[in-house]
Structures are given as structure tokens and as C-alpha cells.
Amino acid sequence: MQEVGEIMHLAGSGRVIIQLSKELVEGQILCDETGTRVAKINELIGPVNRPYASATPLTNNIKKYIGKNVFVSEPSPANKPKKFRRKK
């Protein structure tokens, strides 16, 4: 797992704001140090050299993760090629 940032704030909209230390893409899943899925990135905001991400929490107890580091452990679903099936 690679450390990619720290959860900074829980916004009023219910999303979490994450300060990133590495460039990521929208749709990426972030985990804690144990591999538990914590958030999914919705959009990237802020300066290019140290961006922030707005993410949807994937756990009901997101407040315990504020101030903690997050990691990326799986490849981004946004980078996976889509499989198309032809109708018969």
C-alpha cells in the first residue's frame, strides 16, 4: 500500500476533504492502514503541486479517520478498460 494523503475535514455536505501527497484520479478508492475502504475520490481541487480531494465516505464512522493517513491499495477503476459485450 502507498500512502497518498491525510483526511483533513468533514464538510457539511457529508464529503471528506483529503490533502494529497501524490497525484490520483477521480474514482480511486482510499483505505486505512489495515486495508479498510474509507473513501472514494469524487473530484480534485486546489493547487496542482499539492492538491486536495473531495471524497465520499464509504464508512459510517468517518469521524474517527479525520487526521489519519490514507492509502491506495488497488488500481483505480477509472483506469481499467471497460469490457463491452456485443448483443447477439
Side-chain angles (χ1 to χ4, degrees):
M1 287 193 297
Q2 265 185 301
E3 182 181 337
V4 293
E6 177 184 349
I7 296 180
M8 302 294 293
H9 174 70
L10 179 61
S13 64
R15 291 187 180 177
V16 290
I17 305 301
I18 303 165
Q19 186 172 19
L20 299 174
S21 59
K22 181 179 182 268
E23 187 175 333
L24 297 176
V25 294
E26 294 175 5
Q28 194 115 29
I29 304 292
L30 302 176
C31 305
D32 66 357
E33 63 275 352
T34 63
T36 303
R37 295 165 49 133
V38 176
K40 179 180 178 182
I41 295 179
N42 287 350
E43 66 178 320
L44 301 173
I45 50 179
V48 175
N49 59 350
R50 185 104 169 150
Y52 290 84
S54 172
T56 304
L58 298 176
T59 178
N60 292 333
N61 199 4
I62 194 66
K63 289 183 180 181
K64 79 175 190 176
Y65 293 103
I66 293 176
K68 303 266 173 101
N69 291 330
V70 287
F71 303 84
V72 62
S73 65
E74 57 190 63
S76 168
N79 290 339
K80 289 183 185 175
K82 293 182 179 179
K83 294 181 182 177
F84 293 101
R85 296 184 71 154
R86 188 176 2 186
K87 293 182 181 179
K88 292 184 179 180

